[in-house]
Amino acid sequence: MSAPKDFSAATSVATSASTQTSAATAANTLHDLFLENVMRHPERTALVDPSNRESFTSGAPRRLSWVALDREVEAMADHLHAKGTRAGDYVCIQLPTVNEILVAFFACWRIGAVPSPVPAQHREHELEFVLRSEEHTSELQSH
């Protein structure tokens, strides 16, 4: 199925919905939307790990509520800040697609750092190239 050539109707609907949401919530960023969900739906499920998590990384699959996710984001943000990461700094993130990758992104945004994702498949020599080519102050990797 090919995409429609005229996107104006879809854009209009999306813009209208976005305008209503923005007016109601005053959310400007993903982090604003995140905080709004923590406040409005603290006990609702926010993230669910893949059921086969243990087959490709450590730890059992987890489900996190918005408030639990917020606590993990705050802890990660504190960890990054303690390591010297500040607003505007780049953070190299090399994690599989499990809850922790989103925790890392939101933690970066919380302190104003810039998340710089690197595919989990990259090995040491590829990662070294990435780290040399950009000004990263921190690295987050699975072990």
Side-chain angles (χ1 to χ4, degrees):
M1 184 170 140
S2 63
K5 298 210 187 286
D6 180 12
F7 294 104
S8 59
T11 303
S12 175
V13 170
T15 302
S16 175
S18 175
T19 301
Q20 290 171 2
T21 300
S22 293
T25 63
N28 296 315
T29 66
L30 285 174
H31 192 255
D32 292 336
L33 291 171
F34 169 82
L35 293 174
E36 178 184 326
N37 278 305
V38 171
M39 297 294 292
R40 292 178 76 193
H41 312 290
E43 298 306 321
R44 281 193 190 168
T45 301
L47 287 177
V48 178
D49 269 329
S51 59
N52 66 336
R53 174 188 170 119
E54 292 173 302
S55 70
F56 60 89
T57 193
S58 62
R62 300 181 310 145
R63 299 175 77 87
L64 296 177
S65 68
W66 284 103
V67 72
L69 176 57
D70 185 54
R71 282 192 295 267
E72 290 201 15
V73 167
E74 187 63 27
M76 177 77 69
D78 289 346
H79 170 76
L80 288 168
H81 193 264
K83 287 178 63 176
T85 305
R86 301 294 183 260
D89 289 348
Y90 290 88
V91 178
C92 179
I93 300 172
Q94 187 183 37
L95 297 169
T97 51
V98 292
N99 289 344
E100 288 83 354
I101 195 164
L102 288 175
V103 169
F105 271 78
F106 279 106
C108 287
W109 293 328
R110 182 160 294 180
I111 63 173
V114 180
S116 178
V118 175
Q121 297 82 0
H122 276 17
R123 296 294 171 229
E124 189 174 335
H125 71 280
E126 295 161 316
L127 185 57
E128 286 176 9
F129 174 78
V130 170
L131 293 173
R132 280 195 314 266
S133 66
E134 297 185 33
E135 295 293 322
H136 291 93
T137 57
S138 297
E139 297 175 47
L140 298 172
Q141 296 176 290
S142 62
H143 297 293

